[in-house]
């Protein structure tokens, strides 16, 4: 996914960008962990969901569209995701969220 960081020229800048993203999403503690699967234990389910968001954000998109970003998350994980999206909006990115009504 680092090929998506074409505007960043040096390895140091890429490291800083990735580390900042890990920090924003609360993934620093598991940065060197295995993701895992059904046979190999890895990071938690909440961490996997935040990692999925990080994979989308690594490209630094001009618009972030989050379709029900809190669905299936516990209160802590939902707050973490919403805080990240709020921070992206505060930093000048366009963030659009949709929420279903039950």
């Amino acid at each position: 996914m680092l090929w998506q960081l074409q505007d960043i020229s040096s390895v140091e800048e890429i490291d800083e960008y990735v580390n900042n993203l890990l920090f924003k999403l609360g993934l620093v503690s598991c940065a060197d962990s295995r993701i895992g699967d059904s046979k190999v234990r890895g990071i938690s389910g909440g961490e996997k969901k935040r990692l999925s968001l990080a994979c989308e954000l690594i490209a630094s998109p001009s618009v972030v569209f989050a379709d029900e970003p809190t669905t299936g998350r516990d209160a802590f994980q939902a707050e973490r995701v919403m805080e990240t999206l709020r921070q992206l909006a505060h930093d000048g990115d366009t963030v659009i969220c949709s929420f279903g009504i039950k």
Side-chain angles (χ1 to χ4, degrees):
M1 283 183 219
L2 295 180
W3 67 86
Q4 296 177 353
L5 300 175
Q6 296 172 0
D7 295 339
I8 300 176
S9 58
S10 72
V11 173
E12 292 82 18
E13 289 176 318
I14 290 173
D15 282 346
E16 182 180 346
Y17 182 84
V18 170
N19 286 332
N20 186 33
L21 189 56
L22 290 172
F23 178 75
K24 281 182 180 179
L25 292 170
L27 294 171
V28 174
S29 64
C30 64
D32 296 320
S33 301
R34 291 180 179 224
I35 294 171
D37 58 21
S38 61
K39 296 181 182 180
V40 177
R41 184 173 164 89
I43 61 177
S44 72
E47 290 166 338
K48 285 180 185 177
K49 289 179 182 183
R50 293 197 316 269
L51 177 60
S52 171
L53 179 59
C55 290
E56 296 301 321
L57 294 177
I58 195 93
S60 193
S62 57
V63 176
V64 176
F65 181 80
D67 185 22
E68 299 189 13
T70 58
T71 299
R73 291 171 167 78
D74 62 28
F76 174 79
Q77 299 298 337
E79 181 180 18
R80 174 73 82 178
V81 168
M82 292 308 298
E83 176 59 28
T84 300
L85 294 172
R86 187 199 65 77
Q87 188 61 48
L88 288 170
H90 181 74
D91 292 345
D93 295 306
T94 302
V95 177
I96 301 169
C97 295
S98 69
F99 295 93
I101 299 174
K102 294 183 181 184

